[in-house]
Amino acid sequence: MALAAAAPSQALQQHAGRELPNVAIFPLMAKGHTIPLLDLACLLRRRGLAAVTLFTTPGSNAAFVRAALARGGAGDAAIVELPFPDDGGAGAAGGSVEGVASASSFTAFAEATSLLRPPFEAALAAMRPPTSLLVADAFLHWAHASAAALGVPRRLSFVGTSAFAHVVREVCMRDKPGAAPDQDGPGYDASTGTYTVPEFPHLRFKLSEFAPVSVPDIELHIKVEVAIAASQGMIINTFHDLENRYIDHWNRHIRPRAWPVGPLCLARHSSSANQAHAKPSWIRWLDEKADVGHAILYVALGTLAAIPEVQLKEVANGLDQAGVDFIWAVRPSDVDLGMGFEDRVKGRGKVVRDWVDQWEILQHTSIRGFLTHGGWNSVLESITVGVPMAVWPMEFEQPINARFVVDELKVGVRVHTIDGKFGSFVKSEEVTRVVRELMFGEAGVAVSTSVKATAARAQLAMLKGGSSWKAVEEMISELCITA
């Protein structure tokens, strides 16, 4: 299959008497990693800071990229499609993380993307004008090495986590708490199984709170960190005022420089705003609820975690007993939620089995709470629109995000497993308790007040002259224009 033409954007604009730098952007083929970088691409184009070339894979991924760029005001961006070889690997998953069997398959998928290296190198070498800056997902570590070998002058890694989670994970990989279970180590108390982050003594974690890490996971992490260290910096979808102590710590003591440029969702155009005549059924349902003054809980537990059907039935029973109005984006779409559940909640609960635009839902005036797995995109979007959260971590860095949301930011409440350990079962009674607490309780009032104040700070960061506004401008100026 031939590569799509790597032509530059239409008539590169002039900026201060020179051609705009050509920024190549290569997201990992996962919605949670692709969407923020599409937002960044649209921001660069609308502000006239750079010409943009997007790398993706054919089919649904390319279609999604084209639609998002057109909707976001970057329809003139060049798009290069990189086909997977017909030998399985990541291509067997439909070229997308959403096609893998479970979150446990993520590492294998990330490594299989290296099959794209030959066509990526050919396309990158052929780009005219040459690329000034490559922004690639940190999990595409091989792309950073390819760009360096081809002489691309500047490279940035996109990190899809919070600065908080990235710093905690980095020091954990350094200190390896619990590697020798019966022995103390840096920050680790073997008698209690507790790890205290040496640089931040207020952060104490039980090892049972962390997601388990396999040898392949560690090997991938090392490759990612090597790629980041060899780059000129990393882009984080956050804002300085939210995570200043962790961003500043990284920039002073670890490096390379972290550029907080978010919340990038605030650069996104709403599809319903652009096509009000074609509102999806779930938005029309929320409109009807808003008309009668009902407060709605949004429920979405991620797209990768393989949640057993028996657990999802507990969620269903918990929502039923909580007596709240809710909209639930269910995965997998064919799961059985229990006999008669959807009939029992009809009118006050809506189960959606298709893909939904989460950003649109969270912005809706009827949404007053979010039961979430705690993925960083979900957390940041919820913070940005002032919606408090009930956090139930499932995979990856989500337990660390949960600690940040509940204990540091105080914008959410925690869902507890039956034994307090990460990945254990959650009973329907706990779902009922935490949902009622969030929507009706005193704790819900407190976190709602806190998250609204935080949302105001997020808006300021992205406005002209705000910290993230200036960070984007400084990033392009320092890396592309003055380099």
Side-chain angles (χ1 to χ4, degrees), residues 146-160:
S146 292
L150 290 169
V152 174
R154 296 290 184 270
R155 300 166 305 282
L156 286 176
S157 299
F158 171 71
V159 176

Side-chain angles (χ1 to χ4, degrees), residues 112-409:
T113 62
S114 63
L115 295 169
L116 296 171
R117 188 167 188 168
F120 171 72
E121 291 180 349
L124 195 64
M127 285 179 60
R128 295 295 180 272
T131 300
S132 307
L133 170 67
L134 172 70
V135 177
D137 195 287
F139 284 112
L140 302 174
H141 52 84
W142 52 267
H144 294 271
S146 292
L150 290 169
V152 174
R154 296 290 184 270
R155 300 166 305 282
L156 286 176
S157 299
F158 171 71
V159 176
T161 65
S162 63
F164 176 82
H166 197 73
V167 167
V168 170
R169 184 170 57 186
E170 185 71 16
V171 296
C172 282
M173 294 298 292
R174 178 198 68 198
D175 294 342
K176 300 179 176 59
D182 298 327
Q183 299 177 16
D184 291 344
Y188 181 61
D189 183 345
S191 66
T192 62
T194 302
Y195 173 62
T196 301
V197 179
E199 291 85 346
F200 302 100
H202 70 288
L203 294 178
R204 294 180 178 86
F205 296 90
K206 288 281 190 181
L207 292 192
S208 59
E209 292 183 70
F210 291 119
V213 181
S214 66
V215 171
D217 293 339
I218 294 172
E219 292 172 347
L220 176 60
H221 175 84
I222 292 170
K223 293 175 184 177
V224 165
E225 292 306 319
V226 168
I228 291 174
S231 70
Q232 281 68 51
M234 63 182 190
I235 292 174
I236 304 183
N237 186 16
T238 188
F239 58 102
H240 189 266
D241 195 28
L242 186 72
E243 302 191 80
N244 55 341
R245 70 165 75 178
Y246 305 105
I247 293 167
D248 292 345
H249 173 82
W250 178 273
N251 286 340
R252 289 171 185 160
H253 302 292
I254 303 178
R255 301 187 64 83
R257 179 172 175 178
W259 302 86
V261 299
L264 287 168
C265 53
L266 286 176
R268 193 179 311 160
H269 286 180
S270 169
S271 58
S272 283
N274 294 341
Q275 301 176 359
H277 63 282
K279 287 183 179 181
S281 61
W282 29 273
I283 290 292
R284 293 196 302 271
W285 186 85
L286 289 173
D287 287 344
E288 292 170 1
K289 291 296 181 181
D291 288 343
V292 294
H294 285 206
I296 309 299
L297 172 75
Y298 172 49
V299 183
L301 300 174
T303 58
L304 281 183
I307 305 174
E309 187 174 280
V310 63
Q311 177 65 90
L312 291 176
K313 286 181 177 178
E314 290 289 316
V315 176
N317 289 335
L319 292 173
D320 189 4
Q321 294 300 314
V324 299
D325 287 12
F326 66 89
I327 180 169
W328 184 5
V330 172
R331 297 287 184 277
S333 60
D334 60 350
V335 67
D336 177 13
L337 298 175
M339 185 177 297
F341 167 70
E342 292 186 53
D343 289 333
R344 289 197 307 275
V345 300
K346 190 173 183 179
R348 67 176 179 87
K350 185 172 182 63
V351 175
V352 184
R353 297 176 183 269
D354 300 319
W355 183 84
V356 299
D357 187 329
Q358 177 166 288
W359 177 235
E360 273 195 281
I361 289 177
L362 286 171
Q363 290 181 97
H364 200 278
T365 57
S366 66
I367 299 296
R368 305 293 172 80
F370 182 15
L371 175 57
T372 173
H373 63 308
W376 183 239
N377 278 350
S378 294
V379 166
L380 193 61
E381 289 175 353
S382 200
I383 287 171
T384 300
V385 293
V387 173
M389 289 162 275
V391 190
W392 178 0
M394 301 281 178
E395 290 284 357
F396 308 122
E397 85 290 352
Q398 293 159 18
I400 304 175
N401 289 343
R403 175 67 69 88
F404 189 51
V405 166
V406 175
D407 294 342
E408 293 235 353
L409 298 180

